[in-house]
Amino acid sequence: MDDLKLALLINAVSPGVGGVLVRGEKGTAKSTIVRALAGLLPPVPAVPGCRFSCDPGDPDPACPDGPHDAGEGEERAARLVELPVGASEDRLTGSLDIERALTEGVKAFEPGLLAAAHRGVLYVDEVNLLHDHLVDLLLDAAAMGESYVEREGVSVRHAARFLLVGTMNPEEGELRPQLLDRFGLTVEVAATRDPAERAEVVRRRLRFEDDPDGFAAAFAADEADLAGRIAAARRRLPGVELTDAALRQITAVCASFEVDGLRADLVTARAAIALAAWHGRAVVTADDVRTAARVAFAHRRRRDPFDAPGLDRQKLDEVLEEHGEEPEPPDDPGPPDDGPGGPDGGGGGLPDGPGQQDAPVPPQSVPPQSEQPMESGQGRSGESEPAPADAAYKPRLFTVPGLGNGAPGRRSKARSPYGRVSGARPGTRGVHLTATLRAAAPHQRARGRTGSGLVVLPGDLREAVRDGREGNLVLFVVDASGSMAARKRMRAVKGAVLSLLLDAYQRRDKVGLITFRGRDAELALPPTSSVEAGARRLDALPTGGRTPLSAGLMRAAEVLRVERLRDPARRPLLVVVTDGRATHGPDPSQAAGLLAGVASVVVDCESGPVRLGLAAALGARLGAEVVRLDRLAADALAGVVRDARNDARNIA
């Protein structure tokens, strides 16, 4: 946990660093340590009675509760505001009291979580599961430092500058690149494997459950001392000097690691200055730059959605030594006093050694493996070694017919909280002003209206019906039998599935992977939002044996049946990748009947001059769209259309 403690302390000293993203396995107390941060932050001066936490020394001239006169304010504790994953837009940005607006003609605005988090901490647990429309609002606020509410003809603007802290389990999927880049630092956490440390964790947890107040009191003095050190470091922060040599190291490291944009340079510089202030130094050292880079770069080096964050520490040290005036020792000497970052706290730096876990090196979704004859990769059981995948490409868009009502996404048409307004219905989410007026207007005389205000009852409220897009469950059923085992052919198949996985990632789908070979089918990846896991399973997929096509289809039917019970609103899309051959088990026709009514796509992998058309026959039984493997790419389809048009012109 040393990395996490240090990253939080850096942001506590210098909120301008931009927050922390905490990645790690479940059950590692990520949320617990983040929630503890609020108690360590210095108090915040605020204008009395202002719901938007305006600074009395520099009040916001456009504050909805203003205007405020500059002067002395009152101090209050720094807030840690939690954003639930399932929050609505109104809860995040604030809401307008429609009834008061219609009846009294006033713009009554109720602030949301962004206003509450201003000059504090906004914490999002499981941030990678946050819906896209909330991510968009967070991005706007983080980029501009302000929140804009534009709806029902009312415009409200207020300041929203906050320290963004998020936790996530990578098994559940990755963040959108835009939001990922907004986090200043990122750290990986994992539970300790030392039995003695694990025992101490359990012991303290049990002590806390027995006597929460007494347990907190036992550490009150240490927490007060740590809060004092943070406040002192904040006071030292403006006086820390970032020398030209240190700045040259920062920019050289950013250029060497080919990070996108200049945000990494700024974040690393701010973090290095904060580290120097925390350690009581007046000048930024190469050690500060090294530590800052380790927590600022890892998530900015992804070149592919399937890459995991990571950093080559050896390369980092080499670049720092090359561009430094003098070689710096690899170990952080530590701060001059105790506490987190000191001799007892163990979090003052990121020393190299057995106690420090390196961030993972980004895995390659397409291993650089040379083309070999199939015989050279043959195993003892007749299986071939896993073939690498061809490069991914943009595939055709496959959708589920009809209009769904599932989770917001970018694949199939659906009723969505966002999109084009197509009508209205009774409700209070996203009030449709015109429809509400039409519903209330005929009853004004019966309701005894006498003044200029409109008499509106709760039953008159109408919400907008919007046509948008939803994310689907894309279930891949991949033939891994001997008929697919020709190495060049399997490379193309894996490249196609990898391309479809990438498409699913971009369209916010859940994915699942079933493979069939030998005598049975295997659920290689249960339905999940982590398409990265699907890419890893696909990369290691072995081939060989008979073709139990029927078993693969029956397993798919069972998986979809269970998923309908778990998430009935999410519609499935079945993608069967096969050449249509079935050399083991019953005839696939009966299994195909179990999938009746499921939107399906059959990717025909048959090759050669003589084609049996078995995949096309399977597609007919499934009622599926059949696409040849070599025509799966979007540009390949455009080429087919162009060829057809040219043939038509020639005939004419």
Side-chain angles (χ1 to χ4, degrees):
M1 306 295 284
D2 291 345
D3 294 14
L4 176 53
K5 295 175 188 175
L6 183 63
L8 292 175
L9 287 172
I10 289 173
N11 279 274
V13 173
S14 177
V17 169
V20 185
L21 174 64
V22 188
R23 297 166 49 92
E25 58 193 32
K26 50 188 175 292
T28 50
K30 301 186 297 292
S31 302
T32 301
I33 193 170
V34 169
R35 292 189 177 101
L37 176 66
L40 302 175
L41 297 177
V44 176
V47 174
C50 178
R51 298 174 298 169
F52 301 88
S53 303
C54 280
D55 186 348
D58 185 21
D60 183 3
C63 175
D65 284 355
H68 304 301
D69 295 329
E72 294 186 2
E74 59 183 12
E75 285 195 344
R76 60 165 178 78
R79 293 173 181 163
L80 185 141
V81 178
E82 297 192 34
L83 171 61
V85 170
S88 65
E89 178 186 3
D90 290 348
R91 186 71 188 98
L92 179 61
T93 61
S95 59
L96 185 70
D97 191 332
I98 295 295
E99 190 169 345
R100 286 192 62 191
L102 293 175
T103 58
E104 302 175 24
V106 297
K107 299 178 181 179
F109 178 72
E110 185 66 27
L113 297 178
L114 290 178
H118 178 48
R119 304 176 68 204
V121 180
L122 181 63
Y123 171 50
V124 189
D125 195 13
E126 304 294 348
V127 64
N128 53 324
L129 303 182
L130 206 62
H131 289 307
D132 273 1
H133 65 283
L134 297 181
V135 171
D136 294 338
L137 295 172
L138 273 182
L139 286 172
D140 287 342
M144 298 184 294
E146 296 178 329
S147 174
Y148 288 85
V149 183
E150 305 279 353
R151 62 169 69 98
E152 286 79 45
V154 175
S155 176
V156 177
R157 185 215 68 86
H158 64 83
R161 292 182 294 275
F162 46 81
L163 178 62
L164 181 61
V165 181
T167 60
M168 61 174 285
N169 183 350
E171 295 176 358
E172 294 293 335
E174 290 291 346
L175 280 179
R176 283 172 53 182
Q178 297 92 334
L179 182 59
L180 183 65
D181 191 51
R182 283 294 168 185
F183 286 97
L185 311 177
T186 185
V187 292
E188 297 272 350
V189 297
T192 176
R193 299 299 185 255
D194 183 357
E197 290 185 353
R198 296 173 75 97
E200 181 62 20
V201 171
V202 174
R203 189 178 297 114
R204 291 193 183 189
R205 177 64 191 183
L206 295 177
R207 284 172 52 197
F208 170 77
E209 292 176 352
D210 290 340
D211 183 12
D213 294 336
F215 183 86
F219 293 92
D222 293 337
E223 288 194 356
D225 178 66
L226 182 56
R229 290 189 58 203
I230 291 174
R234 280 195 177 187
R235 291 191 295 270
R236 287 193 295 266
L237 188 68
V240 175
E241 179 186 1
L242 178 65
T243 63
D244 290 341
L247 181 57
R248 184 171 59 251
Q249 286 184 319
I250 291 172
T251 55
V253 168
C254 292
S256 298
F257 281 92
E258 299 180 352
V259 295
D260 293 331
L262 293 173
R263 186 171 287 121
D265 305 62
L266 293 170
V267 168
T268 306
R270 289 172 180 150
I273 294 171
L275 279 167
W278 172 250
H279 291 308
R281 292 191 284 265
V283 178
V284 173
T285 66
D287 228 26
D288 297 325
V289 175
R290 176 186 294 106
T291 304
R294 286 174 179 170
V295 290
F297 278 14
H299 61 303
R300 292 189 165 89
R301 298 197 61 246
R302 296 179 66 191
R303 290 294 180 266
D304 188 277
F306 300 136
D307 288 343
L311 185 67
D312 186 341
R313 295 192 174 188
Q314 182 177 355
K315 179 180 178 181
L316 173 62
D317 290 336
E318 292 174 354
V319 175
L320 288 175
E321 184 174 348
E322 178 184 352
H323 293 273
E325 293 180 344
E326 296 180 0
E328 291 288 336
D331 293 332
D332 192 331
D337 50 0
D338 295 341
D344 298 328
L350 298 176
D352 297 323
Q356 177 64 41
Q357 296 182 359
D358 287 351
V361 177
Q364 290 181 327
S365 57
V366 183
Q369 190 170 344
S370 59
E371 188 71 26
Q372 299 176 358
M374 178 181 169
E375 291 77 5
S376 64
Q378 205 79 349
R380 293 183 180 178
S381 60
E383 299 177 2
S384 61
E385 293 293 331
D390 282 344
Y393 48 82
K394 183 179 180 181
R396 292 173 50 184
L397 172 61
F398 300 105
T399 61
V400 178
L403 196 64
N405 194 31
R410 300 179 180 177
R411 183 172 296 277
S412 304
K413 291 183 178 180
R415 298 292 188 196
S416 170
Y418 298 90
R420 182 181 60 86
V421 177
S422 60
R425 62 189 174 194
T428 58
R429 297 184 60 183
V431 174
H432 193 295
L433 187 58
T434 305
T436 299
L437 292 174
R438 286 201 301 264
H443 308 290
Q444 295 305 296
R445 183 173 298 177
R447 294 173 182 174
R449 172 186 170 186
T450 56
S452 59
L454 194 66
V455 181
V456 179
L457 300 181
D460 299 328
L461 295 178
R462 299 291 186 270
E463 65 181 19
V465 175
R466 300 177 182 271
D467 292 340
R469 294 276 175 176
E470 67 176 359
N472 298 113
L473 167 60
V474 183
L475 182 61
F476 295 93
V477 182
V478 180
D479 186 348
S481 64
S483 63
M484 304 285 290
R487 195 166 186 80
K488 184 175 180 181
R489 186 176 179 188
M490 199 61 200
R491 286 176 61 117
V493 169
K494 284 189 175 183
V497 178
L498 187 67
S499 302
L500 292 168
L501 277 171
L502 178 60
D503 184 66
Y505 167 85
Q506 295 170 339
R507 299 186 186 281
R508 309 295 182 261
D509 294 317
K510 290 180 67 174
V511 297
L513 177 63
I514 294 174
T515 62
F516 58 93
R517 51 184 289 274
R519 297 179 178 273
D520 204 357
E522 175 190 2
L523 180 59
L525 179 69
T528 176
S529 298
S530 177
V531 296
E532 297 83 3
R536 290 194 297 269
R537 302 292 172 84
L538 179 70
D539 192 41
L541 179 65
T543 57
R546 298 182 179 181
T547 311
L549 177 57
S550 182
L553 296 177
M554 287 190 290
R555 190 64 182 271
E558 175 62 19
V559 170
L560 293 180
R561 183 189 68 80
V562 174
E563 286 302 309
R564 286 192 195 99
L565 299 177
R566 291 177 177 172
D567 190 358
R570 190 179 289 270
R571 297 188 295 165
L573 176 64
L574 180 68
V575 179
V576 184
V577 184
T578 181
D579 57 7
R581 291 183 174 87
T583 60
H584 180 77
D587 187 274
S589 299
Q590 183 177 0
L594 300 175
L595 295 165
V598 177
S600 305
V601 176
V602 173
V603 179
D604 184 0
C605 301
E606 190 174 19
S607 60
V610 179
R611 304 179 63 88
L612 303 178
L614 298 177
L618 173 63
R621 289 194 291 268
L622 290 171
E625 181 179 357
V626 180
V627 182
R628 286 177 51 177
L629 181 63
D630 57 354
R631 295 182 180 176
L632 184 62
D635 55 356
L637 177 63
V640 171
V641 174
R642 285 194 299 269
D643 292 343
R645 287 177 176 173
N646 292 335
D647 292 343
R649 292 193 188 100
N650 293 335
I651 294 174

